[in-house]
Amino acid sequence: MRAALALVDEEGAEALSTTRIAARLGVRGPSLYNYVASREEIVDGICDLIVAEMELDPGIRPWTAALDSWARSYRAAFAAHPHMVPLLVTRPTQSLAALRGYANAFAVLREAGWPQEHLVPIVQCVEYFLAGAALDFGLPRAASLPATGLPPGLEPLLNAPSDFSELAFETGLSTLISGFEQTLSSLQADRQT
């Protein structure tokens, strides 16, 4: 799986094949099937390796700091393996490492006072944000816009700072967490009335 991940990291997801992995390992392609049943199993194994790089430390307090730390860890894992992002974000979660991460996230949120019905939506909301942000990794920074015929008002796009993706991530993450804090405060106030 590590050889497969290295192949994707270096050459892209389209390079992923049992023949190419076998060549990296110095064996013949068919011999890989003694260890894995299919390309899908290889992709699942690669996903497990990447998910294992993501960490939610349930000991971090307050819960907002734990969520922030988890999001940053998640993003760092995606940034380290940008060619795998499209495969990761389109697969159902079956990894035990991912399920442990969910369990930790749910425990942190539950301890903070979140009602059970909000746990999955919060975690999924953060994941959707991170998946979208990760799809930006590796895209060219210089916009290839037409030289003429542009509508007026595009100055923010045309003059965007080089680190606009980082700024967008920071803005989005802080807005999400702030919104979650406000929602929890409202829920707790409603319970007291």
Side-chain angles (χ1 to χ4, degrees), residues 87-120:
L87 290 174
L88 281 168
V89 300
T90 58
R91 302 180 71 74
T93 302
Q94 297 178 351
S95 160
L96 288 178
L99 296 174
R100 276 190 294 277
Y102 285 149
N104 286 340
F106 297 153
V108 166
L109 294 171
R110 201 177 288 117
E111 183 183 305
W114 282 97
Q116 189 73 16
E117 66 272 13
H118 287 265
L119 303 183
V120 171

Side-chain angles (χ1 to χ4, degrees), residues 1 17 21 32 42 67 78 88 105 116 122 124 126 149 158 161 172 188:
M1 298 307 167
S17 71
I21 297 166
L32 285 183
I42 294 169
L67 204 58
F78 276 175
L88 281 168
Q116 189 73 16
I122 290 170
Q124 289 289 267
V126 172
L158 297 171
Q188 290 172 334

Side-chain angles (χ1 to χ4, degrees), residues 1 35-46 48 91:
M1 298 307 167
Y35 303 97
V36 294
S38 66
R39 181 182 188 274
E40 289 302 305
E41 188 175 331
I42 294 169
V43 172
D44 288 341
I46 293 171
D48 285 349
R91 302 180 71 74

Side-chain angles (χ1 to χ4, degrees), residues 90-175:
T90 58
R91 302 180 71 74
T93 302
Q94 297 178 351
S95 160
L96 288 178
L99 296 174
R100 276 190 294 277
Y102 285 149
N104 286 340
F106 297 153
V108 166
L109 294 171
R110 201 177 288 117
E111 183 183 305
W114 282 97
Q116 189 73 16
E117 66 272 13
H118 287 265
L119 303 183
V120 171
I122 290 170
V123 170
Q124 289 289 267
C125 182
V126 172
E127 284 191 326
Y128 295 160
F129 167 69
L130 293 168
L135 291 174
D136 187 51
F137 291 133
L139 291 179
R141 291 292 128 225
S144 52
L145 298 174
T148 61
L150 294 175
L154 289 180
E155 292 78 19
L157 178 61
L158 297 171
N159 301 319
S162 61
D163 63 344
F164 71 89
S165 290
E166 187 65 27
L167 294 170
F169 172 77
E170 293 297 334
T171 300
L173 183 59
S174 66
T175 301

Side-chain angles (χ1 to χ4, degrees), residues 18-35:
T18 54
T19 305
R20 303 282 299 273
I21 297 166
R24 280 181 170 252
L25 296 172
V27 298
R28 296 177 48 107
S31 67
L32 285 183
Y33 290 109
N34 292 324
Y35 303 97

